[in-house]
Amino acid sequence: MADSSFDIVSKVERQEVDNALNQAAKEISQRYDFKGVGASISWSGEKILMEANSEDRVKAVLDVFESKLIKRGISLKALEAGEPQLSGKEYKIFASIQEGISQENAKKVAKIIRDEGPKGVKAQVQGDELRVSSKSRDDLQTVIALLKGKDFDFALQFVNYR
């Protein structure tokens, strides 16, 4: 019998991020507390740019964006937001969306699977994802439950379960 397997990835649906950004921009343009403070949110190349005339307001813009991401099912662990920076009279925050599992994070996950997971489960790094395989599908379910119980500083999704 062939091995069963699944992949552990850290991917974000770009369209969902775009939708969250558009919803946040619409809310910011309509909310009374953002009137006249120059608050905005938009794409700036691959990064997301948030602007306002005070540090508190730009943090509020980030908060609105984060709430929209949560509603769209995107983990906040994928959002890498910088600190507010003063640029002229405006405060700006640049944020980026992290995708892919770095080599050291993949090694951490593989070590947890080896140490705490069922025997006979193999984990191998393949680029920016991790392939987990085993003869038993129950063992794979156990590994998924184990990893969901851990708190990583990056988002994980389980795909290609077969």
Side-chain angles (χ1 to χ4, degrees):
M1 187 173 119
D3 282 4
S4 298
S5 69
F6 68 90
D7 295 334
I8 301 173
V9 297
S10 182
K11 292 200 182 338
V12 175
E13 185 114 10
R14 175 74 177 214
Q15 185 62 49
E16 290 297 327
V17 174
D18 205 34
N19 291 342
L21 186 127
N22 291 334
Q23 285 180 335
K26 185 175 181 181
E27 182 173 323
I28 289 163
S29 70
Q30 293 174 344
R31 264 180 45 180
Y32 178 75
D33 56 335
F34 286 121
K35 293 275 188 253
V37 296
S40 68
I41 181 170
S42 61
W43 286 105
S44 174
E46 282 297 303
K47 293 193 178 287
I48 297 163
L49 172 64
M50 292 163 261
E51 297 177 295
N53 66 1
S54 74
E55 189 173 342
D56 291 339
R57 286 285 172 242
V58 79
K59 284 182 177 176
V61 171
L62 175 62
D63 194 46
V64 168
F65 182 54
E66 286 175 345
S67 72
K68 298 302 177 191
L69 286 174
I70 291 170
K71 282 184 181 170
R72 293 225 154 255
I74 297 170
S75 172
L76 292 184
K77 293 177 182 177
L79 181 69
E80 187 94 5
E83 289 299 311
Q85 300 167 340
L86 185 60
S87 172
K89 291 183 177 179
E90 295 273 304
Y91 279 88
K92 296 182 178 186
I93 293 179
F94 284 99
S96 61
I97 302 295
Q98 303 296 94
E99 288 200 299
I101 302 174
S102 67
Q103 287 293 322
E104 65 265 11
N105 287 339
K107 287 177 182 170
K108 280 184 207 169
V109 173
K111 182 170 175 17
I112 288 171
I113 292 170
R114 265 196 321 275
D115 294 348
E116 300 175 30
K119 298 289 177 235
V121 175
K122 297 185 288 293
Q124 58 195 96
V125 179
Q126 296 181 334
D128 61 352
E129 55 186 48
L130 200 66
R131 165 80 39 97
V132 180
S133 58
S134 171
K135 295 231 180 284
S136 163
R137 286 178 170 246
D138 290 342
D139 288 351
L140 294 180
Q141 293 286 352
T142 305
V143 169
I144 291 175
L146 170 74
L147 294 177
K148 282 185 176 177
K150 299 285 180 189
D151 187 32
F152 296 105
D153 55 349
F154 52 96
L156 290 180
Q157 291 89 31
F158 307 100
V159 297
N160 295 337
Y161 184 81
R162 52 178 159 250

